[in-house]
Amino acid sequence: MPTIRRRLLLALAAAPFLFLSPVGARAEAPLRVVATFSIAADWVRQVGGDRVEVTALIGPDADAHGYQPKPSDTRALKEASLVVGIDLGFDDWIERLARSVGKKPIVMLGELLPPEDLLPAGETHDEHDDDHHHGAFDPHFWQDPRLVAKVMPMLAEALAQRDPTHADDYRRRAADYARSLESLWHTWNERFATLPPESRRAYTNHDAFRYLARAYGLELIGIQGVVPHGELSAKALAALSDRARREGIHVAFLENVSDPRLVEQLRREAGLTVGGRLYSDALSGPGGAAPTYRDLVEINARTLHDALAAPNP
């Protein structure tokens, strides 16, 4: 894993000519940023405000796993002054795509977290159909708002390098946003603390919520591994059902980007309750329950807490 900040510093040095724009109308045009997926795009909007114009290559309610770039992605990258992603094996395709249109400054926010904050990928992670697979670390760190709060100052610095005139505004917005995320975690952590130990286990569709589980002292067991594709064998289904009965697991959760049939299959087999829908790798559309990242944190926590706190039927 790259040393902290190395990739950011190298990337931001890649296009010094961007600092030479003359003062005037052209200099006041919004900073064009490409984000790999909807969650990262919202972070850029929160830190950048009306000074940025953001394009998400993978939009709301869209599965980022095994993503195949489109011609429109190349067009967006040609016009971008900055590219924002995650990497940790999640969206490493963006570096190859960005190189195809010339040198573009790229900041991979997950790579800037210290290794001690990250969870290992785990033994159950799988490969995509296109032979892409996650690396040594679980990339879904955004399920813990405290970790997102940690990288917001680094995002502010990336924007400030591209647009130094508004650097102080980016830094202020990042600090305010980070504090709001830490406060949101604190509120929900206090509520989860009231749950008894026997009410802290549940099944999720795939293994995307281990950071969320760690953040609130839960045990969320993915029916599949890190990658939400493929079929569940009869042997694996029987093992999951036996565990549910043995450990008193009575609830399973759907996801916004995964096929619900696995959860339904396990529900029938083990007599589970479906506790609701969680948002894993994408925001909802503007009219949905999680149009922003802060909404995602709130709705996931509320959905989990309410279902786990409900009496076991």
Side-chain angles (χ1 to χ4, degrees), residues 177-206:
Y177 186 50
R179 281 192 294 269
S180 78
L181 294 178
E182 290 166 350
S183 177
L184 184 60
W185 169 82
H186 183 74
T187 296
W188 280 105
N189 189 53
E190 287 187 336
R191 297 181 189 179
F192 278 108
T194 65
L195 294 178
E198 64 270 17
S199 297
R200 292 171 172 268
R201 297 187 188 94
Y203 283 121
T204 60
N205 202 313
H206 90 285

mmCIF file of all heavy atoms in Angstrom, residues 177-206:
data_model
loop_
_atom_site.group_PDB
_atom_site.id
_atom_site.type_symbol
_atom_site.label_atom_id
_atom_site.label_comp_id
_atom_site.label_asym_id
_atom_site.label_seq_id
_atom_site.Cartn_x
_atom_site.Cartn_y
_atom_site.Cartn_z
ATOM 1 N N TYR A 177 -17.825 19.546 7.424
ATOM 2 C CA TYR A 177 -18.441 18.279 7.004
ATOM 3 C C TYR A 177 -17.915 17.126 7.848
ATOM 4 O O TYR A 177 -18.688 16.263 8.292
ATOM 5 C CB TYR A 177 -18.146 18.059 5.522
ATOM 6 C CG TYR A 177 -18.832 16.865 4.906
ATOM 7 C CD1 TYR A 177 -20.198 16.655 5.053
ATOM 8 C CD2 TYR A 177 -18.099 15.946 4.146
ATOM 9 C CE1 TYR A 177 -20.826 15.562 4.456
ATOM 10 C CE2 TYR A 177 -18.718 14.861 3.557
ATOM 11 C CZ TYR A 177 -20.083 14.674 3.711
ATOM 12 O OH TYR A 177 -20.694 13.587 3.133
ATOM 13 N N ALA A 178 -16.613 17.111 8.084
ATOM 14 C CA ALA A 178 -16.031 16.049 8.910
ATOM 15 C C ALA A 178 -16.629 16.063 10.312
ATOM 16 O O ALA A 178 -16.960 15.002 10.867
ATOM 17 C CB ALA A 178 -14.514 16.207 8.975
ATOM 18 N N ARG A 179 -16.783 17.236 10.899
ATOM 19 C CA ARG A 179 -17.396 17.313 12.231
ATOM 20 C C ARG A 179 -18.831 16.807 12.226
ATOM 21 O O ARG A 179 -19.265 16.136 13.171
ATOM 22 C CB ARG A 179 -17.340 18.757 12.745
ATOM 23 C CG ARG A 179 -15.988 19.153 13.306
ATOM 24 C CD ARG A 179 -16.067 20.457 14.059
ATOM 25 N NE ARG A 179 -16.377 21.582 13.168
ATOM 26 C CZ ARG A 179 -15.464 22.328 12.562
ATOM 27 N NH1 ARG A 179 -14.184 22.069 12.735
ATOM 28 N NH2 ARG A 179 -15.825 23.328 11.789
ATOM 29 N N SER A 180 -19.567 17.101 11.165
ATOM 30 C CA SER A 180 -20.957 16.631 11.102
ATOM 31 C C SER A 180 -21.025 15.113 11.002
ATOM 32 O O SER A 180 -21.927 14.493 11.576
ATOM 33 C CB SER A 180 -21.678 17.279 9.921
ATOM 34 O OG SER A 180 -21.345 16.667 8.686
ATOM 35 N N LEU A 181 -20.077 14.496 10.306
ATOM 36 C CA LEU A 181 -20.058 13.034 10.197
ATOM 37 C C LEU A 181 -19.678 12.394 11.521
ATOM 38 O O LEU A 181 -20.256 11.364 11.909
ATOM 39 C CB LEU A 181 -19.079 12.611 9.097
ATOM 40 C CG LEU A 181 -19.447 13.022 7.666
ATOM 41 C CD1 LEU A 181 -18.359 12.580 6.698
ATOM 42 C CD2 LEU A 181 -20.797 12.472 7.253
ATOM 43 N N GLU A 182 -18.718 12.964 12.211
ATOM 44 C CA GLU A 182 -18.336 12.424 13.519
ATOM 45 C C GLU A 182 -19.488 12.545 14.514
ATOM 46 O O GLU A 182 -19.732 11.638 15.321
ATOM 47 C CB GLU A 182 -17.095 13.161 14.034
ATOM 48 C CG GLU A 182 -15.836 12.816 13.247
ATOM 49 C CD GLU A 182 -14.694 13.777 13.517
ATOM 50 O OE1 GLU A 182 -14.947 14.816 14.180
ATOM 51 O OE2 GLU A 182 -13.568 13.499 13.062
ATOM 52 N N SER A 183 -20.229 13.647 14.453
ATOM 53 C CA SER A 183 -21.382 13.832 15.323
ATOM 54 C C SER A 183 -22.477 12.825 15.009
ATOM 55 O O SER A 183 -23.122 12.280 15.919
ATOM 56 C CB SER A 183 -21.923 15.261 15.175
ATOM 57 O OG SER A 183 -23.085 15.450 15.946
ATOM 58 N N LEU A 184 -22.680 12.552 13.725
ATOM 59 C CA LEU A 184 -23.693 11.574 13.320
ATOM 60 C C LEU A 184 -23.327 10.185 13.833
ATOM 61 O O LEU A 184 -24.187 9.451 14.343
ATOM 62 C CB LEU A 184 -23.810 11.566 11.796
ATOM 63 C CG LEU A 184 -24.888 10.676 11.192
ATOM 64 C CD1 LEU A 184 -26.270 11.078 11.693
ATOM 65 C CD2 LEU A 184 -24.828 10.758 9.656
ATOM 66 N N TRP A 185 -22.053 9.817 13.706
ATOM 67 C CA TRP A 185 -21.620 8.526 14.258
ATOM 68 C C TRP A 185 -21.867 8.474 15.762
ATOM 69 O O TRP A 185 -22.375 7.468 16.276
ATOM 70 C CB TRP A 185 -20.126 8.289 14.003
ATOM 71 C CG TRP A 185 -19.632 7.116 14.793
ATOM 72 C CD1 TRP A 185 -19.740 5.792 14.468
ATOM 73 C CD2 TRP A 185 -19.020 7.147 16.091
ATOM 74 N NE1 TRP A 185 -19.231 5.005 15.468
ATOM 75 C CE2 TRP A 185 -18.790 5.802 16.476
ATOM 76 C CE3 TRP A 185 -18.651 8.172 16.963
ATOM 77 C CZ2 TRP A 185 -18.191 5.475 17.698
ATOM 78 C CZ3 TRP A 185 -18.057 7.848 18.172
ATOM 79 C CH2 TRP A 185 -17.834 6.506 18.518
ATOM 80 N N HIS A 186 -21.537 9.538 16.479
ATOM 81 C CA HIS A 186 -21.694 9.555 17.940
ATOM 82 C C HIS A 186 -23.159 9.352 18.324
ATOM 83 O O HIS A 186 -23.463 8.569 19.245
ATOM 84 C CB HIS A 186 -21.177 10.878 18.494
ATOM 85 C CG HIS A 186 -21.237 10.967 19.985
ATOM 86 N ND1 HIS A 186 -20.375 10.301 20.817
ATOM 87 C CD2 HIS A 186 -22.096 11.638 20.805
ATOM 88 C CE1 HIS A 186 -20.675 10.560 22.076
ATOM 89 N NE2 HIS A 186 -21.723 11.365 22.101
ATOM 90 N N THR A 187 -24.067 9.999 17.624
ATOM 91 C CA THR A 187 -25.495 9.869 17.924
ATOM 92 C C THR A 187 -25.955 8.430 17.786
ATOM 93 O O THR A 187 -26.625 7.880 18.677
ATOM 94 C CB THR A 187 -26.316 10.769 16.982
ATOM 95 O OG1 THR A 187 -25.991 12.131 17.240
ATOM 96 C CG2 THR A 187 -27.812 10.555 17.181
ATOM 97 N N TRP A 188 -25.583 7.798 16.674
ATOM 98 C CA TRP A 188 -26.048 6.431 16.444
ATOM 99 C C TRP A 188 -25.295 5.421 17.302
ATOM 100 O O TRP A 188 -25.855 4.406 17.704
ATOM 101 C CB TRP A 188 -25.969 6.081 14.963
ATOM 102 C CG TRP A 188 -27.135 6.647 14.245
ATOM 103 C CD1 TRP A 188 -27.161 7.739 13.425
ATOM 104 C CD2 TRP A 188 -28.481 6.187 14.333
ATOM 105 N NE1 TRP A 188 -28.437 7.982 12.985
ATOM 106 C CE2 TRP A 188 -29.269 7.036 13.518
ATOM 107 C CE3 TRP A 188 -29.102 5.139 15.007
ATOM 108 C CZ2 TRP A 188 -30.649 6.863 13.369
ATOM 109 C CZ3 TRP A 188 -30.473 4.957 14.859
ATOM 110 C CH2 TRP A 188 -31.230 5.810 14.057
ATOM 111 N N ASN A 189 -24.055 5.700 17.616
ATOM 112 C CA ASN A 189 -23.320 4.790 18.486
ATOM 113 C C ASN A 189 -23.979 4.719 19.866
ATOM 114 O O ASN A 189 -24.057 3.635 20.472
ATOM 115 C CB ASN A 189 -21.869 5.251 18.622
ATOM 116 C CG ASN A 189 -21.005 4.227 19.324
ATOM 117 O OD1 ASN A 189 -20.964 3.060 18.946
ATOM 118 N ND2 ASN A 189 -20.305 4.656 20.363
ATOM 119 N N GLU A 190 -24.462 5.835 20.365
ATOM 120 C CA GLU A 190 -25.161 5.829 21.646
ATOM 121 C C GLU A 190 -26.438 4.991 21.576
ATOM 122 O O GLU A 190 -26.792 4.289 22.529
ATOM 123 C CB GLU A 190 -25.497 7.257 22.065
ATOM 124 C CG GLU A 190 -24.293 8.064 22.523
ATOM 125 C CD GLU A 190 -24.692 9.415 23.081
ATOM 126 O OE1 GLU A 190 -25.779 9.917 22.721
ATOM 127 O OE2 GLU A 190 -23.926 9.966 23.891
ATOM 128 N N ARG A 191 -27.143 5.047 20.454
ATOM 129 C CA ARG A 191 -28.374 4.273 20.318
ATOM 130 C C ARG A 191 -28.079 2.777 20.197
ATOM 131 O O ARG A 191 -28.776 1.947 20.788
ATOM 132 C CB ARG A 191 -29.173 4.769 19.113
ATOM 133 C CG ARG A 191 -29.631 6.220 19.252
ATOM 134 C CD ARG A 191 -30.443 6.668 18.060
ATOM 135 N NE ARG A 191 -30.688 8.110 18.131
ATOM 136 C CZ ARG A 191 -31.358 8.793 17.216
ATOM 137 N NH1 ARG A 191 -31.858 8.165 16.155
ATOM 138 N NH2 ARG A 191 -31.540 10.097 17.345
ATOM 139 N N PHE A 192 -27.070 2.431 19.421
ATOM 140 C CA PHE A 192 -26.720 1.017 19.290
ATOM 141 C C PHE A 192 -26.223 0.441 20.612
ATOM 142 O O PHE A 192 -26.368 -0.758 20.868
ATOM 143 C CB PHE A 192 -25.671 0.822 18.203
ATOM 144 C CG PHE A 192 -26.232 0.779 16.811
ATOM 145 C CD1 PHE A 192 -26.043 1.841 15.929
ATOM 146 C CD2 PHE A 192 -26.963 -0.311 16.367
ATOM 147 C CE1 PHE A 192 -26.556 1.818 14.647
ATOM 148 C CE2 PHE A 192 -27.483 -0.354 15.084
ATOM 149 C CZ PHE A 192 -27.286 0.717 14.225
ATOM 150 N N ALA A 193 -25.639 1.288 21.449
ATOM 151 C CA ALA A 193 -25.113 0.811 22.731
ATOM 152 C C ALA A 193 -26.214 0.257 23.634
ATOM 153 O O ALA A 193 -25.924 -0.501 24.565
ATOM 154 C CB ALA A 193 -24.363 1.933 23.440
ATOM 155 N N THR A 194 -27.454 0.609 23.371
ATOM 156 C CA THR A 194 -28.562 0.117 24.192
ATOM 157 C C THR A 194 -29.022 -1.280 23.784
ATOM 158 O O THR A 194 -29.815 -1.902 24.500
ATOM 159 C CB THR A 194 -29.763 1.074 24.116
ATOM 160 O OG1 THR A 194 -30.288 1.083 22.768
ATOM 161 C CG2 THR A 194 -29.357 2.487 24.502
ATOM 162 N N LEU A 195 -28.561 -1.783 22.643
ATOM 163 C CA LEU A 195 -28.967 -3.112 22.206
ATOM 164 C C LEU A 195 -28.246 -4.190 23.009
ATOM 165 O O LEU A 195 -27.035 -4.110 23.213
ATOM 166 C CB LEU A 195 -28.651 -3.315 20.718
ATOM 167 C CG LEU A 195 -29.410 -2.471 19.703
ATOM 168 C CD1 LEU A 195 -28.904 -2.783 18.295
ATOM 169 C CD2 LEU A 195 -30.908 -2.716 19.795
ATOM 170 N N PRO A 196 -28.945 -5.230 23.431
ATOM 171 C CA PRO A 196 -28.267 -6.332 24.124
ATOM 172 C C PRO A 196 -27.405 -7.131 23.146
ATOM 173 O O PRO A 196 -27.641 -7.105 21.933
ATOM 174 C CB PRO A 196 -29.435 -7.173 24.653
ATOM 175 C CG PRO A 196 -30.576 -6.858 23.746
ATOM 176 C CD PRO A 196 -30.401 -5.431 23.340
ATOM 177 N N PRO A 197 -26.413 -7.854 23.651
ATOM 178 C CA PRO A 197 -25.510 -8.601 22.759
ATOM 179 C C PRO A 197 -26.227 -9.561 21.817
ATOM 180 O O PRO A 197 -25.812 -9.723 20.659
ATOM 181 C CB PRO A 197 -24.602 -9.353 23.738
ATOM 182 C CG PRO A 197 -24.631 -8.545 24.982
ATOM 183 C CD PRO A 197 -26.000 -7.945 25.062
ATOM 184 N N GLU A 198 -27.295 -10.187 22.280
ATOM 185 C CA GLU A 198 -27.995 -11.170 21.435
ATOM 186 C C GLU A 198 -28.773 -10.521 20.295
ATOM 187 O O GLU A 198 -29.265 -11.221 19.408
ATOM 188 C CB GLU A 198 -28.938 -12.027 22.292
ATOM 189 C CG GLU A 198 -30.076 -11.261 22.957
ATOM 190 C CD GLU A 198 -29.704 -10.728 24.330
ATOM 191 O OE1 GLU A 198 -28.483 -10.664 24.639
ATOM 192 O OE2 GLU A 198 -30.624 -10.369 25.083
ATOM 193 N N SER A 199 -28.877 -9.205 20.298
ATOM 194 C CA SER A 199 -29.603 -8.501 19.236
ATOM 195 C C SER A 199 -28.673 -7.772 18.275
ATOM 196 O O SER A 199 -29.107 -6.878 17.545
ATOM 197 C CB SER A 199 -30.587 -7.497 19.860
ATOM 198 O OG SER A 199 -31.557 -8.162 20.629
ATOM 199 N N ARG A 200 -27.418 -8.152 18.238
ATOM 200 C CA ARG A 200 -26.427 -7.421 17.451
ATOM 201 C C ARG A 200 -25.944 -8.189 16.217
ATOM 202 O O ARG A 200 -24.989 -7.769 15.574
ATOM 203 C CB ARG A 200 -25.227 -7.050 18.324
ATOM 204 C CG ARG A 200 -25.568 -6.025 19.393
ATOM 205 C CD ARG A 200 -24.435 -5.825 20.377
ATOM 206 N NE ARG A 200 -24.730 -4.716 21.271
ATOM 207 C CZ ARG A 200 -24.375 -3.448 21.065
ATOM 208 N NH1 ARG A 200 -23.695 -3.142 19.979
ATOM 209 N NH2 ARG A 200 -24.696 -2.515 21.923
ATOM 210 N N ARG A 201 -26.600 -9.300 15.881
ATOM 211 C CA ARG A 201 -26.170 -10.103 14.737
ATOM 212 C C ARG A 201 -27.247 -10.084 13.654
ATOM 213 O O ARG A 201 -28.438 -10.121 13.949
ATOM 214 C CB ARG A 201 -25.911 -11.554 15.130
ATOM 215 C CG ARG A 201 -24.789 -11.753 16.122
ATOM 216 C CD ARG A 201 -24.504 -13.238 16.301
ATOM 217 N NE ARG A 201 -23.562 -13.485 17.374
ATOM 218 C CZ ARG A 201 -23.905 -13.761 18.618
ATOM 219 N NH1 ARG A 201 -25.198 -13.853 18.947
ATOM 220 N NH2 ARG A 201 -22.993 -13.963 19.534
ATOM 221 N N ALA A 202 -26.803 -10.060 12.399
ATOM 222 C CA ALA A 202 -27.742 -10.101 11.281
ATOM 223 C C ALA A 202 -27.008 -10.541 10.026
ATOM 224 O O ALA A 202 -25.770 -10.481 9.949
ATOM 225 C CB ALA A 202 -28.393 -8.739 11.058
ATOM 226 N N TYR A 203 -27.763 -10.973 9.042
ATOM 227 C CA TYR A 203 -27.220 -11.279 7.718
ATOM 228 C C TYR A 203 -27.449 -10.100 6.778
ATOM 229 O O TYR A 203 -28.479 -9.427 6.846
ATOM 230 C CB TYR A 203 -27.898 -12.521 7.128
ATOM 231 C CG TYR A 203 -27.422 -13.830 7.706
ATOM 232 C CD1 TYR A 203 -28.313 -14.699 8.334
ATOM 233 C CD2 TYR A 203 -26.096 -14.211 7.599
ATOM 234 C CE1 TYR A 203 -27.890 -15.913 8.856
ATOM 235 C CE2 TYR A 203 -25.657 -15.424 8.122
ATOM 236 C CZ TYR A 203 -26.551 -16.260 8.752
ATOM 237 O OH TYR A 203 -26.116 -17.454 9.270
ATOM 238 N N THR A 204 -26.459 -9.864 5.920
ATOM 239 C CA THR A 204 -26.612 -8.909 4.823
ATOM 240 C C THR A 204 -26.372 -9.651 3.517
ATOM 241 O O THR A 204 -25.826 -10.755 3.505
ATOM 242 C CB THR A 204 -25.618 -7.743 4.941
ATOM 243 O OG1 THR A 204 -24.268 -8.256 4.918
ATOM 244 C CG2 THR A 204 -25.851 -6.962 6.226
ATOM 245 N N ASN A 205 -26.763 -9.026 2.419
ATOM 246 C CA ASN A 205 -26.679 -9.706 1.138
ATOM 247 C C ASN A 205 -25.238 -10.060 0.784
ATOM 248 O O ASN A 205 -24.938 -11.189 0.437
ATOM 249 C CB ASN A 205 -27.294 -8.825 0.038
ATOM 250 C CG ASN A 205 -27.723 -9.630 -1.167
ATOM 251 O OD1 ASN A 205 -26.993 -10.461 -1.661
ATOM 252 N ND2 ASN A 205 -28.921 -9.374 -1.646
ATOM 253 N N HIS A 206 -24.341 -9.081 0.838
ATOM 254 C CA HIS A 206 -22.928 -9.393 0.620
ATOM 255 C C HIS A 206 -22.080 -8.666 1.653
ATOM 256 O O HIS A 206 -22.563 -7.847 2.420
ATOM 257 C CB HIS A 206 -22.505 -9.139 -0.830
ATOM 258 C CG HIS A 206 -21.988 -7.770 -1.153
ATOM 259 N ND1 HIS A 206 -22.797 -6.657 -1.282
ATOM 260 C CD2 HIS A 206 -20.723 -7.344 -1.418
ATOM 261 C CE1 HIS A 206 -22.059 -5.613 -1.621
ATOM 262 N NE2 HIS A 206 -20.798 -5.990 -1.698
#
